[in-house]
């Protein structure tokens, strides 16, 4: 058959052209097919012109072969359009076409340019297992139904700029061998990119994901460009391979960003403003910096062999053009602070935390925690500071930095006072035996950072956990309890000074009552004078101090007792005449009160030491 010209023709009944071969051009421009149009297995050896055609019934082009250009620009398919297994050896032009029914291009092969720019797919668009050997252009297209590109292969550039996916976008297991362009695309429902392979650059700059975005198992062999992308729901990048990506973001996510099980092959910077970031068992093979806002970070069992920094960005993240990342979707978030939820199972030898909130962080199981570097204002939770009248005597906890796991443990104890936070859901509760080495390691980390007050708090926590463990002898526990009661492990000056004042007051009272003699004992001299004269020998003696019998609590006796007590604090003796009881009282005072004074001085030193 030579050229077939059917422009402006109207086919009132079915139009059957199965297995026909059009040896020349086939012109159906502006034709109308009121019923079925069947072109299955047709071969168009010349150009096929279907521009502005209206297909009111089903249009069947299954297994058709277009050896030259196939032009369906501005065509209208009011019912199903079947192009399954069709072969387009020339350009496939569907720009501005309207598919009111399903558009079926499954297993189709586009050997030249495939143009679907500004096309409208009102029902499902099926391109499963389709092969695009050249450019595939879907810019500004609208997919009102599901867009199915499962297992499709894009060997040329794939352009979906400004495309709108109003239903599900399904690209599972698709392969993009060159640049995949989704800049400014809008995904209104679930976007499925699971197990997709991006061999070239994947561009999602300024894309908007209103539903869940799933990139789990995807491979980014080139750059992953998500700058200024907006995720209004969760974004799953779990088990994703970022082979050479050097920058991921800045992007904003109102839900979770899940990077659990993912791998980064080279140096990378991650820039996220998100409600939560999950990096469980994520692997970094080179240096990395994670700069965040608003996020709660779960870093459990992450693996990295090179320096990795998790930092809070105090100001909005900046795009490459110098403008600030819009954070409108996070308007209801509590604040831009970054919180770390877990570091369990992490080797912290190369980990740096900067300006993050560690009040809810789980540390047990962290390796080389003593080598953790804390920069900037890293905050921890604190102990309940108010007095709790649980039973007599009232309970008051010293204000200090406390691990979240100590909160969980104390809240689980019988009769726990209010103020200790209960364990987080699903967290394995740690006891004093596990927490003591954690406090010890963090104390060393603070000491290495020249933060002595912080180190003192963690020393206090370490001693508290040791005192409550069940694997130490009772005598050692008693000694630790005394150390805690007298001076807060040498860290609470007020406690030591209170005991010192109490001891001195008790000493004064005891001396006034039993220690000071009634009167100053008289001295007597006795001797014998030889009858014929000569050397006279005198023996000087002193009467024994008499126990007081009258009014013992007088101003004079108080002054003497105060003098004795003050001298005993500095290991000095006043030479005051004391009763036998007073001598023992002074000896006890000279033994205990200087120790309490030393503990108070030590506590002050620990709090002000640089």
């Amino acid at each position: 058959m030579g050229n077939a010209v059917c422009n402006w023709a109207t086919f009132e009944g079915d139009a059957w052209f199965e297995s026909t071969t059009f040896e020349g051009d086939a012109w159906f421009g502006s034709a109308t097919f009121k019923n079925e149009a069947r072109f299955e297995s047709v071969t168009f050896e010349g150009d096929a012109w279907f521009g502005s055609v209206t297909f009111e019934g089903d249009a069947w082009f299954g297994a058709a072969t277009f050896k030259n250009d196939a032009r369906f620009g501005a065509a209208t398919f009011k019912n199903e359009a079947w192009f399954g297994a069709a072969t387009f050896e020339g350009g496939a032009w569907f720009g501005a076409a309207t598919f009111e029914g399903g558009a079926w291009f499954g297993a189709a092969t586009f050997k030249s340019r495939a143009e679907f720019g500004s096309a409208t797919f009102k029902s499902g668009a099926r391109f499963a297992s389709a092969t695009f050997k050249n450019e595939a252009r879907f810019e500004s297209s609208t997919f009102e139904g599901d867009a199915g590109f499962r297992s499709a292969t894009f060997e040329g550039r794939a352009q979906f700029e400004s495309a709108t996916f109003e239903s599900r976008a399904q690209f599972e297991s698709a392969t993009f061998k060159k640049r995949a362009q989704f800049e400014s695309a809008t995904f209104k429902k679930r976007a499925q990119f699971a197990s997709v392979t991006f061999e070239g650059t994947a561009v999602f700059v300024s894309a908007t994901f209103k539903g869940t975005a799933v990139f789990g198992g995807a491979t980014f062999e080139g750059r992953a460009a998500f700058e200024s992308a907006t995720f209004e729901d969760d974004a799953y990048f779990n088990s994703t391979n970022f082979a050479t990506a050097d920058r991921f973001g800045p992007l904003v996510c109102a839900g979770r960003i899940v990077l659990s099980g993912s791998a980064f092959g080279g140096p990378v910077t991650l820039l996220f403003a998100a409600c939560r970031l999950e990096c469980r068992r994520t692997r970094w093979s080179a240096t990395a910096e994670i700069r965040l806002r608003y996020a709660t970070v779960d870093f459990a069992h992450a693996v990295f062999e090179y320096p990795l920094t998790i930092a809070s960005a105090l100001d909005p993240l900046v795009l490459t053009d110098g403008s600030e990342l819009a954070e409108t979707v996070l308007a209801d978030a509590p604040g831009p602070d970054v919180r770390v939820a877990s570091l369990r199972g992490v080797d912290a030898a190369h980990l740096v935390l900067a300006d993050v909130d560690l009040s809810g962080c789980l540390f047990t199981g962290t390796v080389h925690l003593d080598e953790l570097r804390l920069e900037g204002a890293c905050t921890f939770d604190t102990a309940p500071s108010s007095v709790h009248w649980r039973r007599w005597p009232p309970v008051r906890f010293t204000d200090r930095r406390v691990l979240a796991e100590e909160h969980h443990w104390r809240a689980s104890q019988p009769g726990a006072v209010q103020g200790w936070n209960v364990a987080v859901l699903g967290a394995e509760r740690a006891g004093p035996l596990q927490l003591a080495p954690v406090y010890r390691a963090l104390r060393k980390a603070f000491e290495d950072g020249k933060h002595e007050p912080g180190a003192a708090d963690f020393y206090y926590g370490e001693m508290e956990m040791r005192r409550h463990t069940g694997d130490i002898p009772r005598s050692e526990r008693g000694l630790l309890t005394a150390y805690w009661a007298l001076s807060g492990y040498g860290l609470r000056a007020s406690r030591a000074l209170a005991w010192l004042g109490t001891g001195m007051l008790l000493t004064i009272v005891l001396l006034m009552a039993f220690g000071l003699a009634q009167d100053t004992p008289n001295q007597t001299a006795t001797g014998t004078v030889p009858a014929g004269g000569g050397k006279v020998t005198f023996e000087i003696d002193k009467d024994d101090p008499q126990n007081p019998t009258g009014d013992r609590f007088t101003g004079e006796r108080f002054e003497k007792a105060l003098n004795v007590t003050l001298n005993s604090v500095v290991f000095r003796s006043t030479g005051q005449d004391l009763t036998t009881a007073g001598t023992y009282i002074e000896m006890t005072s000279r033994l205990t009160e200087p120790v309490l004074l030393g503990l108070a001085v030590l506590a002050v030193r620990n709090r002000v030491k640089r």
Side-chain angles (χ1 to χ4, degrees):
M1 180 182 291
N3 292 338
V5 180
C6 297
N7 293 331
W8 298 285
T10 299
F11 296 86
E12 297 285 348
D14 293 342
W16 295 66
F17 293 89
E18 291 97 330
S19 304
T20 301
T21 298
F22 293 88
E23 297 178 354
D25 295 341
W27 297 75
F28 290 86
S30 301
T32 300
F33 294 85
K34 291 187 174 291
N35 217 318
E36 284 190 355
R38 306 186 71 93
F39 289 85
E40 295 102 322
S41 302
V42 169
T43 300
F44 296 90
E45 296 188 356
D47 291 342
W49 294 80
F50 287 85
S52 301
V53 169
T54 299
F55 295 92
E56 296 185 5
D58 292 343
W60 298 83
F61 288 85
T65 300
F66 299 86
K67 292 186 175 292
N68 251 311
D69 289 347
R71 297 184 176 272
F72 288 83
T76 300
F77 298 85
K78 292 183 175 292
N79 222 313
E80 303 291 313
W82 299 87
F83 288 85
T87 300
F88 298 86
E89 297 185 5
W93 303 87
F94 288 84
T98 300
F99 297 86
E100 296 185 7
W104 302 86
F105 288 85
T109 300
F110 299 86
K111 294 186 177 181
S112 190
R113 177 172 173 173
E115 175 63 64
F116 288 85
S118 300
T120 300
F121 299 87
K122 293 183 176 292
S123 190
R126 302 290 187 268
F127 289 84
S129 301
T131 300
F132 299 86
K133 292 185 175 292
N134 210 306
E135 275 189 304
R137 302 180 66 94
F138 289 85
E139 63 267 33
S140 300
S141 296
T142 300
F143 298 86
E144 296 182 9
D146 291 349
F149 289 85
R150 290 190 179 96
S151 302
T153 300
F154 297 86
E155 297 184 6
R157 178 177 295 189
Q159 296 184 243
F160 289 84
E161 302 100 307
S162 302
T164 300
F165 298 86
E166 296 187 1
S167 191
R168 291 179 299 176
Q170 299 168 321
F171 288 84
E172 298 99 316
S173 303
T175 300
F176 296 86
K177 292 183 177 293
K178 291 187 178 179
R179 188 181 184 91
Q181 195 88 15
F182 288 86
E183 185 173 358
S184 299
T186 300
F187 301 85
K188 293 188 176 181
K189 291 189 178 178
R190 190 178 183 92
Q192 297 269 28
F193 287 87
S195 302
V196 169
T197 299
F198 296 94
E199 296 183 8
T201 300
V203 182
F204 289 85
V205 175
S206 299
T208 300
F209 297 85
K210 294 181 178 293
T212 303
V214 180
F215 288 82
T219 299
F220 292 87
E221 296 183 5
R223 192 164 63 93
F226 283 81
E227 186 178 39
S228 194
T230 300
F231 296 85
E232 297 184 9
D233 206 325
D234 295 340
Y236 289 91
F237 290 87
N238 49 300
S239 302
T240 300
N241 181 22
F242 297 88
T244 61
D246 60 349
R247 183 181 174 94
F248 190 17
L251 59 83
V252 60
C253 178
R256 296 179 297 164
I257 298 178
V258 181
L259 287 170
S260 299
S262 296
F264 291 87
V268 64
T269 300
L270 309 181
L271 302 166
F272 302 146
C275 286
R276 186 174 179 85
L277 173 63
E278 294 183 7
C279 294
R280 290 175 171 267
R281 295 178 176 83
T282 307
R283 179 181 295 272
W284 282 268
S285 299
T287 57
E289 178 186 11
I290 306 175
R291 191 163 293 275
L292 304 169
R293 283 172 62 79
Y294 298 95
T296 297
V297 185
D298 186 348
F299 222 65
H301 305 287
V303 178
F304 45 91
E305 301 175 1
Y306 297 89
L308 185 145
T309 301
I310 302 175
S312 173
L314 303 181
D315 298 317
L317 301 173
V318 179
L319 306 175
T320 53
D321 61 2
S323 61
E324 293 183 350
L325 177 67
E327 299 176 344
T328 308
V329 297
L330 294 171
D332 296 331
D337 297 337
V338 176
R339 298 155 294 278
V340 180
S342 177
L343 291 175
R344 286 185 170 180
V346 170
D347 187 341
H350 300 288
L351 181 60
V352 180
L353 302 179
D355 299 310
V356 297
D357 182 356
L358 297 169
S359 60
C361 185
L362 305 178
F363 284 99
T364 53
T366 306
V367 181
H368 295 143
L369 190 55
D370 58 324
E371 299 181 40
L372 173 68
R373 287 182 56 190
L374 301 174
E375 304 287 347
C378 292
T379 58
F380 289 82
D381 207 344
T382 57
S385 57
S386 58
V387 177
H388 302 274
W389 298 88
R390 180 179 60 184
R391 59 173 68 93
W392 188 260
V395 177
R396 181 184 183 278
F397 293 97
T398 304
D399 188 19
R400 60 182 173 91
R401 295 173 178 85
V402 177
L403 296 181
E405 286 140 314
E406 183 179 345
H407 267 273
H408 304 163
W409 170 73
R410 288 189 182 274
S412 67
Q413 300 305 296
V417 301
Q418 294 182 351
W420 294 108
N421 299 330
V422 298
V424 294
L425 183 64
E428 181 182 350
R429 184 173 295 127
L433 189 62
Q434 293 79 30
L435 290 177
V438 175
Y439 273 113
R440 187 180 308 118
L442 286 173
R443 171 178 61 82
K444 184 179 183 300
F446 270 83
E447 289 173 346
D448 292 343
K450 306 302 181 183
H451 192 326
E452 292 297 336
D457 280 349
F458 285 106
Y459 172 72
Y460 192 104
E462 176 191 353
M463 298 299 286
E464 276 287 272
M465 295 301 100
R466 285 182 57 194
R467 184 167 67 91
H468 287 92
T469 55
D471 65 338
I472 61 174
R474 183 173 300 179
S475 58
E476 182 178 344
R477 184 180 295 108
L479 182 62
L480 289 175
T481 301
Y483 193 22
W484 161 76
L486 292 176
S487 65
Y489 309 111
L491 296 174
R492 300 296 179 255
S494 58
R495 192 176 304 179
L497 290 174
W499 279 110
L500 176 61
T502 302
M504 292 175 64
L505 180 61
L506 180 61
T507 300
I508 291 173
V509 172
L510 291 176
L511 286 174
M512 292 175 65
F514 307 106
L516 296 178
Q518 176 69 29
D519 296 306
T520 301
N522 295 322
Q523 289 185 338
T524 57
T526 58
T528 301
V529 179
K535 184 176 180 181
V536 179
T537 301
F538 291 92
E539 292 183 1
I540 307 298
D541 198 2
K542 195 175 189 179
D543 296 339
D544 292 333
Q546 301 297 313
N547 291 322
T549 57
D551 187 4
R552 306 180 185 188
F553 298 97
T554 63
E556 181 181 359
R557 290 177 65 81
F558 172 78
E559 183 178 356
K560 291 181 179 180
L562 178 62
N563 188 17
V564 173
T565 302
L566 291 176
N567 278 278
S568 68
V569 173
V570 291
F571 294 103
R572 294 177 56 191
S573 174
T574 59
Q576 181 70 42
D577 294 312
L578 302 174
T579 64
T580 301
T583 300
Y584 285 105
I585 293 171
E586 184 190 29
M587 291 172 60
T588 303
S589 175
R590 289 172 65 184
L591 176 64
T592 58
E593 290 168 4
V595 174
L596 294 173
L597 178 61
L599 290 174
V601 173
L602 176 64
V604 172
R605 172 58 175 162
N606 285 332
R607 302 309 297 183
V608 301
K609 186 178 180 181
R610 181 175 63 85

